[in-house]
Amino acid sequence: MSSNEPFPTHTAESQPTSDGYYGTPGIRRSTVGREAWTGTTDGRSLASFLGVVSLALGAAELLAPRRVARAIGLPDSDGTTTLMRGMGLREITSGAGILANPESKEWVGTRVAGDLVDLAVLGFGLLRSDRPLRTVLASAVVLGITAVDVLATEQLAEARKSPTREGTIGGASRILRGITIGCLGPCP
């Protein structure tokens, strides 16, 4: 490795492990001689974790909407209960979609959209909150979860762009079609 290269480069003869990596977790080979940092192997683990979190949160919002509303400082009313149940159905739908398709950045993206809805509800709820500190804390938690949701979406999008071991021969890009132009004499 030269002093100006942050990661070692590999030749076409280098062989990746069975998961498409060259011995260093989180570094995926994008082309011969170039590496890309993804932070994790491909984002599926984080997406699956977020799917389970969605199911758990959705179940709580659906089965105990008044308790959840009280916990985040929203007023106890029939409208809040209906809203919490609707948000619970949204979370369950997102969670089931993510767990059924852990490589789908679109399903994880539904969590990002849901987080924006949650932040809007918490913002309006803060105006009528009996316990504004709880509502502010809940908003901070949702902002943190939004960052994780965006990270998972980006990891899945990057993994979708990166070649996999199945799509390559010996770790190099697979050539689907080639054309030789202007070959005189013995051609390679």
Side-chain angles (χ1 to χ4, degrees), residues 30-115:
S30 57
T31 61
V32 174
R34 198 175 118 212
E35 296 175 344
W37 172 255
T38 61
T40 66
T41 54
D42 59 8
R44 287 183 297 186
S45 307
L46 184 55
S48 295
F49 171 74
L50 291 172
V52 171
V53 168
S54 281
L55 288 178
L57 179 59
E61 289 174 329
L62 191 62
L63 299 174
R66 291 185 188 276
R67 283 184 116 170
V68 172
R70 264 195 317 271
I72 61 176
L74 295 181
D76 188 7
S77 69
D78 290 339
T80 303
T81 300
T82 302
L83 180 65
M84 284 289 120
R85 286 194 172 126
M87 293 167 77
L89 287 173
R90 182 202 71 220
E91 286 288 350
I92 290 171
T93 302
S94 291
I98 291 168
L99 292 176
N101 304 293
E103 295 177 1
S104 172
K105 70 180 181 79
E106 291 80 12
W107 275 111
V108 177
T110 64
R111 283 190 47 86
V112 175
D115 292 341

Side-chain angles (χ1 to χ4, degrees), residues 151-166:
L151 174 66
T153 303
E154 289 299 315
Q155 286 178 344
L156 290 169
E158 185 63 32
R160 192 180 282 183
K161 289 190 276 183
S162 299
T164 62
R165 178 84 172 126
E166 294 79 33

